[in-house]
Amino acid sequence: MKLLTHNMLTSKILKNVVNGYPLKINAIKTELKKADFQPDFIARMVHKVDYKALFQAAETLGYSEGLPKCEFLTDQDLNENVLKKLHEVLLEVEVIEGDLECPESGRKFPINNGIPNMLVNDEEI
């Protein structure tokens, strides 16, 4: 699971969960899988993601060095080094094994072979 995907996932569907975001990452295995650098794509995407949640996820996995520590990024923050680091955390860092944990209920969703399983049982909704 890439951190771009993680940034969009929520457990809000669960009973008694109001926000369910951001999900806590409990990684057992991560990999860095190289991808072609596309600065224009990253510059557009950074305004569509929750940067605070992205930074928190990168920090949890040990990939936050080089990212500005702030609530959100402005266009002035997006120099080439920051774009390259954002590219790395959004598209190259991948959680292979572990789980995602709902911040409100503690419900865990497994990640196997890089795929998060967000399926819930009928009694959970």
Side-chain angles (χ1 to χ4, degrees):
M1 175 195 71
K2 296 187 185 314
L3 295 189
L4 178 59
T5 301
H6 168 262
N7 201 267
M8 298 176 192
L9 296 175
T10 178
S11 57
K12 189 168 45 175
I13 193 168
L14 294 174
K15 191 183 309 183
N16 299 322
V17 172
V18 177
N19 191 19
Y21 182 85
L23 298 171
K24 179 183 174 193
I25 300 175
N26 302 307
I28 296 170
K29 180 181 177 186
T30 61
E31 290 180 4
L32 198 59
K33 296 183 176 182
K34 292 295 179 189
D36 291 336
F37 179 52
Q38 299 174 12
D40 293 337
F41 173 75
I42 298 300
R44 285 192 312 273
M45 283 306 297
V46 75
H47 299 299
K48 296 177 194 254
V49 299
D50 181 328
Y51 181 74
K52 184 177 177 182
L54 176 65
F55 183 89
Q56 182 181 34
E59 190 172 45
T60 298
L61 298 175
Y63 289 96
S64 63
E65 188 175 328
L67 288 175
K69 190 170 186 174
C70 56
E71 294 285 317
F72 59 91
L73 293 176
T74 65
D75 287 336
Q76 290 78 22
D77 296 319
L78 300 179
N79 62 49
E80 187 173 357
N81 290 336
V82 170
L83 287 171
K84 285 181 178 179
K85 187 60 182 184
L86 286 166
H87 167 81
E88 178 185 74
V89 298
L90 285 169
L91 301 177
E92 295 184 342
V93 174
E94 189 155 350
V95 179
I96 305 299
E97 301 292 333
D99 62 60
L100 298 171
E101 185 177 333
C102 173
E104 294 171 51
S105 70
R107 164 63 151 90
K108 293 186 177 183
F109 300 92
I111 303 168
N112 295 304
N113 296 317
I115 302 169
N117 181 346
M118 300 297 293
L119 296 176
V120 296
N121 299 317
D122 288 341
E123 61 272 5
E124 294 180 290
I125 52 176

